[in-house]
Amino acid sequence: MTRPFDSSHLPDVFRGSEARKAGLITASQLRGSSVRRLFQDVYTRAGVEVTHELRCRGAALLAPPEAVLTGRSAATVHGVELANPSDPVEMIVPEKNRFGPIVGIKVRRTEVKPEESRPWNGIRIARKRRIALDLLLRLSPRKSSWTRRLRIGVPDLDQFMRANNLTDLHLNGEFYGRRNRGIRLARHALRLSDPRAESHPESELRIVLAAGGITATPQVEVRSRTGRFLARLDLADEKFRVAIEYDGRWHNTPKEQAYDRKRRRRVEAEGWRFVIATAEDLANDFKGIVDAVWQARRGAFSPRKAPRPDQEGVRMARV
């Protein structure tokens, strides 16, 4: 009986061709169950957890030294996990370099200024302000509408800015004075960004509302007339006292639903109305969300006519 190949002497990530030349593994062992292929000629040991950062290191073994890891990949390496393990590794390669196409690596061909990146694992990695720009330039200008691309790019930018304490003032220098393809969309996305957003769905909901002509502020605190804290809202149209919230699957438990009802009644007692959006709404019913907010605007309570805390009040919901 053939003993299983022991791959423990191999690095976490390696080129198969180089390992064969060094006598560390044979061609048949590369096809066995002791190693796992990440890209063509790039492998990891079978017992190693495949993360996006590991795949970035694997892609770096194939790329030319001038290549720059950027976008969601660089953000994930920096600790803001915007890329899933199986997502394509995002790189910028200068026009002069012949590299790719390689399955699992997404290559854009443009220039990155030397000061916009630093050395990393034999290639380069974008610095934070350049990553913020590339989170938006990575979106194809041809494949979808502006609104759809903003719904993808702005949530990424919000989370990256939040994690790195960045504001639009920090990033203006990266977004202006350029002629990159897609830069107009990127500038518009920067104007719509808000690092106060606490999740991707909340950011996406804000973009849907903005496309419908509604400006909503993230994470607004509501207090009673006496100054007592009542709740913090996902999004708020403060002028019309309309609260817009995203209810994910975690809101479906009886305990969470009871908590939400009590919390929202307290806020409704101060003259607010609620519009509740779900994941299904975000996927299929943009118009319904926007229409519900416009309706709530037209019928919002005035503070003088607020219902008592023990009353249900009027609640606008699209669920």
Side-chain angles (χ1 to χ4, degrees), residues 113-215:
K113 298 174 185 177
E115 65 270 20
E116 293 177 332
S117 67
R118 61 174 176 80
W120 183 82
N121 282 273
I123 58 170
R124 300 186 70 80
I125 188 169
R127 296 187 186 275
K128 292 179 180 179
R129 296 186 186 191
R130 176 69 200 213
I131 293 170
L133 174 66
D134 286 327
L135 286 172
L136 301 165
L137 294 182
R138 62 183 286 275
L139 303 173
S140 171
R142 294 182 179 177
K143 291 185 178 179
S144 57
S145 68
W146 265 42
T147 299
R148 179 170 175 77
R149 281 176 277 150
L150 289 169
R151 285 176 51 221
I152 297 170
V154 172
D156 282 347
L157 184 59
D158 284 351
Q159 296 305 301
F160 189 73
M161 290 170 67
R162 180 182 179 87
N164 291 285
N165 295 316
L166 295 172
T167 67
D168 55 348
L169 295 177
H170 293 120
L171 298 177
N172 278 335
E174 291 291 338
F175 282 69
Y176 289 86
R178 293 180 178 272
R179 296 183 178 180
N180 301 68
R181 187 184 184 195
I183 192 64
R184 287 179 59 227
L185 174 71
R187 289 171 186 154
H188 187 55
L190 180 63
R191 290 192 291 270
L192 290 174
S193 66
D194 195 319
R196 290 175 292 181
E198 292 190 343
S199 72
H200 267 66
E202 290 176 21
S203 295
E204 188 177 350
L205 182 55
R206 194 178 76 248
I207 299 309
V208 168
L209 295 172
I214 298 165
T215 300

Side-chain angles (χ1 to χ4, degrees), residues 241-252:
R241 292 199 166 211
V242 178
I244 309 105
E245 297 205 305
Y246 174 78
D247 274 7
R249 291 185 180 90
W250 62 89
H251 287 270
N252 292 336

